[in-house]
Coordinates of all heavy atoms in Angstrom, one line a residue:
M222 N -17.9 4.9 -4.3 CA -16.4 5.1 -4.3 C -15.8 3.7 -4.1 O -14.7 3.5 -4.7 CB -16.1 6.0 -3.1 CG -14.6 6.3 -3.0 SD -14.1 7.2 -4.4 CE -12.6 8.0 -3.7
S223 N -16.4 2.8 -3.3 CA -15.7 1.5 -3.1 C -15.6 0.7 -4.4 O -14.7 -0.2 -4.4 CB -16.4 0.7 -2.0 OG -17.7 0.3 -2.5
D224 N -16.3 1.0 -5.4 CA -16.2 0.3 -6.7 C -14.8 0.6 -7.3 O -14.4 -0.2 -8.2 CB -17.3 0.8 -7.7 CG -18.7 0.3 -7.3 OD1 -18.8 -0.6 -6.4 OD2 -19.7 0.9 -7.8
Y225 N -14.2 1.6 -6.9 CA -12.9 2.0 -7.5 C -11.7 1.5 -6.6 O -10.5 1.7 -7.0 CB -12.8 3.5 -7.7 CG -13.9 4.1 -8.5 CD1 -14.6 5.2 -8.1 CD2 -14.2 3.5 -9.7 CE1 -15.6 5.7 -8.9 CE2 -15.2 4.0 -10.5 CZ -15.9 5.1 -10.2 OH -16.9 5.6 -10.9
L226 N -12.0 1.0 -5.5 CA -10.9 0.5 -4.6 C -10.7 -1.0 -4.8 O -11.4 -1.8 -4.0 CB -11.3 0.9 -3.1 CG -11.5 2.3 -2.9 CD1 -12.0 2.6 -1.4 CD2 -10.3 3.2 -3.2
L227 N -10.0 -1.4 -5.8 CA -10.0 -2.8 -6.2 C -8.8 -3.6 -5.8 O -8.5 -4.7 -6.3 CB -10.0 -2.8 -7.8 CG -11.2 -2.1 -8.4 CD1 -11.1 -2.1 -9.9 CD2 -12.5 -2.7 -8.0
H228 N -8.0 -3.1 -4.8 CA -6.8 -3.7 -4.4 C -6.7 -3.8 -2.9 O -7.2 -2.8 -2.2 CB -5.6 -2.9 -5.0 CG -4.3 -3.6 -4.9 ND1 -3.4 -3.4 -3.9 CD2 -3.7 -4.4 -5.7 CE1 -2.3 -4.1 -4.0 NE2 -2.5 -4.7 -5.1
R229 N -6.2 -4.8 -2.4 CA -6.0 -4.9 -0.9 C -5.0 -3.8 -0.5 O -4.3 -3.3 -1.3 CB -5.5 -6.2 -0.4 CG -4.1 -6.6 -0.9 CD -3.6 -7.9 -0.4 NE -2.6 -8.4 -1.2 CZ -2.7 -9.4 -2.1 NH1 -3.8 -10.0 -2.2 NH2 -1.6 -9.7 -2.8
V230 N -5.1 -3.4 0.8 CA -4.3 -2.3 1.3 C -2.8 -2.7 1.3 O -1.9 -1.9 1.1 CB -4.7 -1.9 2.7 CG1 -3.8 -0.8 3.3 CG2 -6.2 -1.4 2.6
G231 N -2.5 -4.0 1.6 CA -1.1 -4.4 1.6 C -1.0 -5.9 1.9 O -1.9 -6.6 2.0
H232 N 0.3 -6.3 2.1 CA 0.6 -7.7 2.4 C 2.0 -7.8 3.2 O 2.7 -6.9 3.2 CB 0.7 -8.5 1.1 CG 1.7 -7.9 0.1 ND1 3.0 -8.1 0.2 CD2 1.5 -7.0 -0.9 CE1 3.6 -7.4 -0.8 NE2 2.7 -6.8 -1.5
G233 N 2.1 -9.0 3.7 CA 3.4 -9.3 4.4 C 4.6 -9.3 3.4 O 4.3 -9.6 2.2
M234 N 5.7 -9.1 3.9 CA 6.9 -9.2 3.0 C 8.0 -10.1 3.7 O 8.3 -9.8 4.9 CB 7.5 -7.9 2.7 CG 6.5 -7.0 1.9 SD 7.1 -5.2 1.8 CE 8.5 -5.5 0.7
G235 N 8.4 -11.1 3.0 CA 9.4 -12.0 3.7 C 10.2 -12.7 2.6 O 10.6 -12.2 1.6
V236 N 10.3 -14.1 2.8 CA 11.0 -14.9 1.8 C 10.4 -14.8 0.4 O 11.0 -14.6 -0.6 CB 11.2 -16.3 2.3 CG1 11.8 -17.2 1.2 CG2 12.0 -16.5 3.6
M237 N 9.0 -14.9 0.5 CA 8.2 -14.6 -0.7 C 7.7 -13.3 -0.6 O 7.1 -12.9 0.4 CB 7.1 -15.6 -0.8 CG 7.5 -17.1 -0.7 SD 8.5 -17.7 -2.0 CE 7.3 -17.7 -3.4
F238 N 8.0 -12.5 -1.7 CA 7.7 -11.0 -1.6 C 6.2 -10.8 -1.2 O 5.9 -9.9 -0.4 CB 8.0 -10.3 -2.9 CG 7.8 -8.8 -2.8 CD1 8.7 -8.0 -2.0 CD2 6.8 -8.2 -3.5 CE1 8.5 -6.7 -1.9 CE2 6.7 -6.8 -3.3 CZ 7.5 -6.1 -2.6
H239 N 5.3 -11.5 -1.8 CA 3.9 -11.3 -1.5 C 3.4 -12.5 -0.7 O 3.3 -13.6 -1.1 CB 3.0 -11.3 -2.8 CG 3.2 -10.0 -3.6 ND1 4.2 -9.9 -4.5 CD2 2.5 -8.9 -3.6 CE1 4.1 -8.8 -5.1 NE2 3.1 -8.1 -4.6
E240 N 3.2 -12.3 0.6 CA 2.9 -13.4 1.5 C 2.0 -12.8 2.7 O 1.9 -11.7 2.8 CB 4.1 -14.0 2.1 CG 5.0 -13.2 2.9 CD 6.3 -13.9 3.3 OE1 6.9 -14.5 2.5 OE2 6.5 -13.9 4.5
A241 N 1.4 -13.7 3.3 CA 0.5 -13.4 4.5 C 1.4 -12.7 5.6 O 2.6 -12.9 5.6 CB -0.1 -14.6 5.2
P242 N 0.8 -11.8 6.4 CA -0.6 -11.5 6.4 C -1.1 -10.6 5.3 O -0.2 -9.8 4.8 CB -0.7 -10.8 7.8 CG 0.6 -10.1 8.0 CD 1.6 -11.0 7.3
W243 N -2.3 -10.7 4.9 CA -2.9 -9.9 3.9 C -3.5 -8.7 4.6 O -4.4 -8.8 5.4 CB -3.9 -10.6 3.0 CG -3.3 -11.9 2.5 CD1 -3.6 -13.1 2.9 CD2 -2.2 -12.0 1.6 NE1 -2.8 -14.1 2.3 CE2 -2.0 -13.4 1.4 CE3 -1.5 -11.1 0.9 CZ2 -1.0 -13.9 0.6 CZ3 -0.5 -11.6 0.0 CH2 -0.2 -12.9 -0.1
V244 N -3.1 -7.5 4.3 CA -3.6 -6.3 5.0 C -4.9 -5.9 4.3 O -4.9 -5.1 3.3 CB -2.6 -5.2 5.0 CG1 -3.1 -4.0 5.8 CG2 -1.2 -5.7 5.6
E245 N -6.0 -6.5 4.7 CA -7.3 -6.3 4.0 C -8.4 -6.8 4.9 O -8.1 -7.6 5.9 CB -7.4 -7.0 2.7 CG -7.3 -8.6 2.8 CD -7.3 -9.2 1.5 OE1 -7.8 -8.6 0.5 OE2 -6.9 -10.4 1.4
A246 N -9.6 -6.4 4.7 CA -10.7 -6.9 5.4 C -10.8 -8.4 5.4 O -10.5 -9.0 4.4 CB -12.0 -6.3 4.8
G247 N -11.1 -9.0 6.6 CA -11.1 -10.4 6.7 C -9.9 -11.1 7.2 O -10.0 -12.2 7.8
D248 N -8.7 -10.5 7.1 CA -7.5 -11.1 7.7 C -7.4 -10.5 9.2 O -7.2 -9.3 9.3 CB -6.2 -10.7 6.9 CG -5.0 -11.4 7.4 OD1 -4.8 -11.7 8.6 OD2 -4.2 -11.8 6.5
E249 N -7.5 -11.4 10.1 CA -7.4 -11.0 11.5 C -6.1 -11.1 12.2 O -5.9 -11.0 13.4 CB -8.5 -11.8 12.3 CG -9.9 -11.6 11.8 CD -11.0 -12.3 12.5 OE1 -10.6 -12.9 13.6 OE2 -12.1 -12.3 12.0
T250 N -5.1 -11.2 11.3 CA -3.7 -11.3 11.8 C -3.3 -10.0 12.6 O -3.6 -8.9 12.2 CB -2.6 -11.5 10.7 OG1 -3.1 -12.6 10.0 CG2 -1.2 -11.6 11.3
I251 N -2.8 -10.2 13.9 CA -2.3 -9.1 14.6 C -0.9 -8.8 14.2 O 0.0 -9.7 14.3 CB -2.4 -9.4 16.1 CG1 -3.8 -9.6 16.5 CG2 -1.7 -8.3 17.0 CD1 -4.0 -10.1 17.9
L252 N -0.7 -7.6 13.7 CA 0.7 -7.1 13.3 C 1.6 -6.9 14.6 O 1.2 -6.2 15.5 CB 0.7 -5.9 12.4 CG -0.2 -6.1 11.2 CD1 -0.2 -4.7 10.4 CD2 0.3 -7.2 10.3
E253 N 2.7 -7.5 14.6 CA 3.6 -7.5 15.7 C 4.9 -6.9 15.4 O 5.4 -6.9 14.2 CB 3.8 -8.9 16.3 CG 2.6 -9.6 16.7 CD 2.8 -11.0 17.3 OE1 3.9 -11.2 17.8 OE2 1.8 -11.8 17.3
P254 N 5.6 -6.3 16.4 CA 6.9 -5.7 16.1 C 7.9 -6.6 15.4 O 7.9 -7.9 15.8 CB 7.5 -5.3 17.6 CG 6.2 -5.1 18.3 CD 5.3 -6.1 17.7
G255 N 8.6 -6.1 14.4 CA 9.5 -6.9 13.6 C 9.0 -7.4 12.3 O 9.7 -7.7 11.4
M256 N 7.6 -7.3 12.1 CA 7.0 -7.7 10.9 C 7.2 -6.6 9.9 O 7.3 -5.4 10.2 CB 5.5 -8.0 11.0 CG 5.2 -9.2 11.9 SD 3.4 -9.3 12.2 CE 3.0 -10.8 11.3
I257 N 7.3 -7.0 8.6 CA 7.4 -6.0 7.6 C 6.2 -6.2 6.6 O 6.0 -7.4 6.2 CB 8.8 -6.1 6.8 CG1 9.9 -5.7 7.7 CG2 8.8 -5.2 5.6 CD1 11.3 -5.7 7.2
T258 N 5.5 -5.2 6.3 CA 4.4 -5.2 5.3 C 4.5 -4.2 4.3 O 5.3 -3.3 4.4 CB 3.0 -5.1 6.1 OG1 3.0 -3.7 6.5 CG2 2.9 -6.0 7.3
S259 N 3.7 -4.4 3.2 CA 3.6 -3.3 2.3 C 2.3 -2.5 2.7 O 1.5 -3.0 3.4 CB 3.4 -3.8 0.9 OG 2.2 -4.5 0.7
S260 N 2.3 -1.3 2.2 CA 1.1 -0.5 2.3 C 0.8 0.1 0.9 O 1.6 0.9 0.4 CB 1.3 0.7 3.3 OG 0.1 1.5 3.3
E261 N -0.3 -0.4 0.2 CA -0.4 -0.1 -1.2 C -1.9 0.4 -1.5 O -2.5 -0.2 -2.3 CB -0.2 -1.3 -2.0 CG 1.2 -2.0 -1.8 CD 1.3 -3.3 -2.5 OE1 0.3 -3.8 -3.1 OE2 2.4 -3.9 -2.5
P262 N -2.3 1.4 -0.8 CA -3.7 1.9 -1.1 C -3.7 2.4 -2.6 O -2.7 2.9 -3.1 CB -3.9 3.1 -0.2 CG -2.5 3.5 0.2 CD -1.6 2.3 0.1
A263 N -4.9 2.1 -3.2 CA -5.0 2.4 -4.6 C -6.4 2.7 -5.0 O -7.3 2.3 -4.3 CB -4.5 1.2 -5.5
I264 N -6.6 3.5 -6.0 CA -7.9 3.8 -6.6 C -7.7 3.6 -8.1 O -6.8 4.1 -8.7 CB -8.4 5.1 -6.2 CG1 -9.8 5.3 -6.7 CG2 -7.4 6.3 -6.6 CD1 -10.5 6.5 -6.1
F265 N -8.7 3.0 -8.7 CA -8.7 2.7 -10.2 C -10.1 3.1 -10.8 O -11.1 2.6 -10.4 CB -8.4 1.3 -10.5 CG -7.1 0.8 -10.0 CD1 -7.0 0.1 -8.8 CD2 -5.9 1.1 -10.6 CE1 -5.8 -0.4 -8.3 CE2 -4.7 0.6 -10.1 CZ -4.6 -0.1 -9.0
V266 N -10.1 4.1 -11.6 CA -11.4 4.6 -12.2 C -11.3 4.2 -13.7 O -10.5 4.7 -14.5 CB -11.5 6.1 -12.1 CG1 -12.8 6.5 -12.7 CG2 -11.5 6.5 -10.6
P267 N -12.1 3.1 -14.1 CA -12.0 2.5 -15.4 C -12.3 3.6 -16.5 O -13.1 4.5 -16.3 CB -13.2 1.5 -15.4 CG -13.3 1.1 -14.0 CD -13.0 2.3 -13.2
G268 N -11.4 3.5 -17.5 CA -11.6 4.5 -18.6 C -11.0 5.9 -18.3 O -11.0 6.8 -19.1
F269 N -10.5 6.1 -17.0 CA -10.0 7.4 -16.7 C -8.6 7.3 -16.2 O -7.6 7.8 -16.9 CB -10.9 8.1 -15.6 CG -10.3 9.4 -15.2 CD1 -10.4 10.5 -16.1 CD2 -9.9 9.6 -13.9 CE1 -9.8 11.7 -15.6 CE2 -9.4 10.8 -13.5 CZ -9.4 11.9 -14.3
A270 N -8.3 6.7 -15.0 CA -7.0 6.8 -14.5 C -6.9 5.8 -13.3 O -7.9 5.3 -12.8 CB -6.6 8.1 -14.0
G271 N -5.7 5.5 -12.8 CA -5.4 4.7 -11.6 C -4.3 5.3 -10.9 O -3.5 6.0 -11.4
Y272 N -4.3 5.1 -9.6 CA -3.2 5.6 -8.8 C -3.0 4.7 -7.6 O -3.9 4.2 -6.9 CB -3.6 7.0 -8.2 CG -2.6 7.7 -7.3 CD1 -1.5 8.3 -8.0 CD2 -2.7 7.7 -6.0 CE1 -0.5 8.9 -7.2 CE2 -1.6 8.3 -5.2 CZ -0.6 8.9 -5.8 OH 0.4 9.5 -5.1
R273 N -1.7 4.3 -7.4 CA -1.4 3.5 -6.2 C -0.1 4.1 -5.7 O 0.8 4.4 -6.4 CB -1.2 2.1 -6.6 CG -0.7 1.2 -5.4 CD -0.4 -0.2 -5.8 NE -1.4 -0.8 -6.6 CZ -1.1 -2.0 -7.1 NH1 -0.1 -2.8 -6.9 NH2 -2.1 -2.5 -7.9
I274 N 0.0 4.1 -4.4 CA 1.3 4.5 -3.7 C 1.6 3.4 -2.8 O 0.8 2.8 -2.2 CB 1.1 5.9 -3.0 CG1 2.5 6.5 -2.6 CG2 0.2 5.7 -1.8 CD1 2.4 7.9 -2.3
A275 N 2.9 3.0 -2.9 CA 3.4 1.8 -2.2 C 4.5 2.1 -1.2 O 5.5 2.8 -1.6 CB 3.8 0.7 -3.1
D276 N 4.3 1.6 0.0 CA 5.4 1.8 1.0 C 5.8 0.5 1.6 O 5.0 -0.4 1.6 CB 4.8 2.7 2.2 CG 4.7 4.2 1.8 OD1 5.6 4.7 1.1 OD2 3.7 4.7 2.4
T277 N 7.0 0.4 2.1 CA 7.5 -0.8 2.9 C 7.4 -0.3 4.3 O 7.9 0.8 4.6 CB 8.9 -1.2 2.5 OG1 8.9 -1.5 1.1 CG2 9.3 -2.3 3.3
V278 N 6.7 -1.0 5.2 CA 6.4 -0.6 6.5 C 7.0 -1.6 7.5 O 6.7 -2.8 7.4 CB 5.0 -0.4 6.7 CG1 4.7 0.1 8.2 CG2 4.4 0.7 5.7
L279 N 7.8 -1.1 8.5 CA 8.3 -1.9 9.6 C 7.3 -1.7 10.7 O 7.1 -0.6 11.2 CB 9.7 -1.5 10.0 CG 10.2 -2.1 11.3 CD1 10.4 -3.7 11.1 CD2 11.6 -1.5 11.6
I280 N 6.8 -2.8 11.3 CA 6.0 -2.7 12.5 C 6.9 -2.6 13.7 O 7.7 -3.6 13.9 CB 5.0 -3.9 12.6 CG1 4.2 -4.1 11.3 CG2 4.1 -3.7 13.8 CD1 3.4 -2.9 10.8
T281 N 6.8 -1.7 14.5 CA 7.5 -1.5 15.7 C 6.7 -1.4 17.0 O 5.5 -1.3 16.8 CB 8.4 -0.2 15.7 OG1 7.5 1.0 15.9 CG2 9.1 0.0 14.4
A282 N 7.2 -1.5 18.1 CA 6.5 -1.4 19.4 C 5.8 -0.1 19.4 O 4.8 0.0 20.1 CB 7.4 -1.7 20.6
E283 N 6.3 0.9 18.8 CA 5.7 2.3 18.8 C 4.6 2.5 17.8 O 3.9 3.5 17.7 CB 6.8 3.4 18.7 CG 7.7 3.5 19.9 CD 8.7 2.3 20.0 OE1 9.2 1.9 18.8 OE2 9.0 1.8 21.1
G284 N 4.6 1.5 16.8 CA 3.7 1.7 15.7 C 4.4 1.5 14.3 O 5.6 1.0 14.3
P285 N 3.7 1.8 13.2 CA 4.3 1.6 11.9 C 5.4 2.6 11.6 O 5.3 3.8 12.1 CB 3.1 1.7 11.0 CG 2.2 2.6 11.7 CD 2.3 2.2 13.2
D286 N 6.4 2.2 10.9 CA 7.5 3.1 10.5 C 7.7 2.9 9.0 O 8.2 1.8 8.6 CB 8.8 2.7 11.3 CG 10.0 3.5 11.0 OD1 9.8 4.7 10.3 OD2 11.1 3.2 11.2
S287 N 7.3 3.9 8.2 CA 7.5 3.8 6.8 C 9.0 3.9 6.5 O 9.7 4.7 6.9 CB 6.8 4.9 6.1 OG 7.0 4.9 4.7
M288 N 9.4 2.9 5.7 CA 10.8 2.8 5.2 C 11.0 3.3 3.9 O 12.1 3.3 3.3 CB 11.3 1.3 5.4 CG 11.1 0.7 6.8 SD 11.4 -1.0 6.9 CE 13.0 -1.2 6.4
T289 N 9.9 3.8 3.3 CA 10.0 4.3 1.9 C 9.9 5.8 1.9 O 9.0 6.4 2.6 CB 8.8 3.8 1.0 OG1 8.7 2.4 1.2 CG2 9.0 4.1 -0.4
H290 N 10.8 6.4 1.3 CA 10.8 7.9 1.3 C 10.8 8.5 -0.1 O 11.8 8.3 -0.8 CB 12.1 8.5 2.1 CG 12.1 7.9 3.5 ND1 11.2 8.4 4.5 CD2 12.8 6.8 4.0 CE1 11.5 7.7 5.6 NE2 12.3 6.7 5.4
Y291 N 9.8 9.1 -0.5 CA 9.7 9.8 -1.8 C 8.6 10.8 -1.8 O 7.8 10.8 -0.8 CB 9.5 8.7 -3.0 CG 8.3 7.8 -2.7 CD1 7.0 8.2 -3.0 CD2 8.5 6.5 -2.2 CE1 6.0 7.3 -2.9 CE2 7.5 5.6 -2.0 CZ 6.2 6.1 -2.4 OH 5.1 5.2 -2.1
P292 N 8.5 11.6 -2.8 CA 7.5 12.7 -2.8 C 6.1 12.2 -2.6 O 5.8 11.1 -3.1 CB 7.7 13.3 -4.2 CG 9.0 13.0 -4.6 CD 9.3 11.7 -4.1
R293 N 5.3 12.9 -1.9 CA 3.8 12.6 -1.6 C 2.8 13.5 -2.2 O 1.7 13.1 -2.3 CB 3.7 12.5 -0.1 CG 4.5 11.6 0.6 CD 4.0 10.2 0.5 NE 4.8 9.3 1.2 CZ 4.6 8.0 1.3 NH1 3.6 7.6 0.7 NH2 5.4 7.3 1.9
K294 N 3.2 14.7 -2.6 CA 2.3 15.7 -3.1 C 1.8 15.2 -4.5 O 2.7 14.7 -5.3 CB 2.9 17.1 -3.1 CG 3.2 17.7 -1.8 CD 3.7 19.0 -1.9 CE 4.1 19.6 -0.5 NZ 4.7 20.8 -0.6
I295 N 0.5 15.4 -4.8 CA 0.0 14.9 -6.1 C 0.7 15.5 -7.3 O 1.0 14.8 -8.3 CB -1.5 15.2 -6.1 CG1 -2.1 14.4 -7.3 CG2 -1.8 16.6 -6.2 CD1 -2.3 12.9 -7.2
D296 N 1.1 16.8 -7.2 CA 1.8 17.4 -8.3 C 3.2 16.8 -8.5 O 3.7 16.9 -9.7 CB 2.0 18.9 -8.1 CG 0.6 19.6 -8.1 OD1 -0.4 19.1 -8.7 OD2 0.5 20.7 -7.5
D297 N 3.8 16.2 -7.5 CA 5.1 15.6 -7.7 C 5.1 14.2 -8.2 O 6.1 13.6 -8.6 CB 5.8 15.5 -6.3 CG 6.2 17.0 -5.9 OD1 6.3 17.9 -6.7 OD2 6.3 17.1 -4.6
V298 N 3.9 13.5 -8.2 CA 3.8 12.1 -8.5 C 2.9 11.8 -9.8 O 2.9 10.6 -10.2 CB 3.4 11.2 -7.4 CG1 4.3 11.3 -6.2 CG2 2.0 11.6 -6.9
V299 N 2.3 12.8 -10.4 CA 1.5 12.6 -11.6 C 2.5 12.4 -12.8 O 3.3 13.2 -13.0 CB 0.6 13.7 -11.8 CG1 -0.1 13.7 -13.2 CG2 -0.5 13.7 -10.7
I300 N 2.3 11.3 -13.5 CA 3.2 11.0 -14.7 C 2.7 11.7 -15.9 O 3.5 12.2 -16.7 CB 3.2 9.5 -14.9 CG1 3.9 8.9 -13.7 CG2 4.0 9.2 -16.2 CD1 3.8 7.4 -13.7
G301 N 1.4 11.8 -16.2 CA 1.0 12.4 -17.4 C -0.4 13.0 -17.2 O -1.0 13.0 -16.1
S302 N -0.9 13.6 -18.3 CA -2.2 14.2 -18.2 C -3.1 13.8 -19.4 O -2.5 13.4 -20.4 CB -2.0 15.7 -18.2 OG -3.3 16.4 -18.3
T303 N -4.3 13.7 -19.2 CA -5.3 13.3 -20.3 C -5.8 14.6 -21.0 O -6.7 14.5 -21.9 CB -6.5 12.5 -19.7 OG1 -7.1 13.3 -18.7 CG2 -5.9 11.2 -19.2
S304 N -5.4 15.7 -20.6 CA -5.9 17.0 -21.2 C -5.2 17.4 -22.4 O -4.1 16.9 -22.7 CB -5.9 18.1 -20.2 OG -4.7 18.4 -19.8

């Protein structure tokens, strides 16, 4: 399965849209209240399909707060079909 997970989970957002911290294995940055990151889990199956959902996340003292609101059910976000 990990062969299909070809993208980091997310990244920091600031002056430069794609910037540290990199939300992925190996980045040991501690996320602190006030930071904004993306959350972009994705799966790509060569020759078949790919799917990524992206959120903007505010880190708060209580935990992450997704600032992106849109449908989440698979039937609501599929664009086309290969059948």
Side-chain angles (χ1 to χ4, degrees):
M222 182 69 155
S223 64
D224 292 344
Y225 303 131
L226 305 174
L227 306 176
H228 192 266
R229 68 178 157 254
V230 176
H232 55 81
M234 298 172 68
V236 175
M237 304 298 290
F238 185 71
H239 291 87
E240 60 184 54
W243 308 110
V244 184
E245 63 183 341
D248 188 323
E249 297 181 10
T250 304
I251 296 172
L252 300 179
E253 298 183 23
M256 294 174 116
I257 296 181
T258 69
S259 70
S260 175
E261 306 173 353
I264 185 167
F265 301 99
V266 181
F269 178 68
Y272 182 79
R273 179 186 313 173
I274 195 162
D276 288 323
T277 300
V278 179
L279 171 64
I280 308 303
T281 73
E283 292 77 37
D286 180 16
S287 178
M288 299 170 64
T289 309
H290 304 282
Y291 51 84
R293 301 277 180 184
K294 293 181 182 175
I295 192 72
D296 292 339
D297 294 334
V298 296
V299 171
I300 296 171
S302 173
T303 59
S304 58

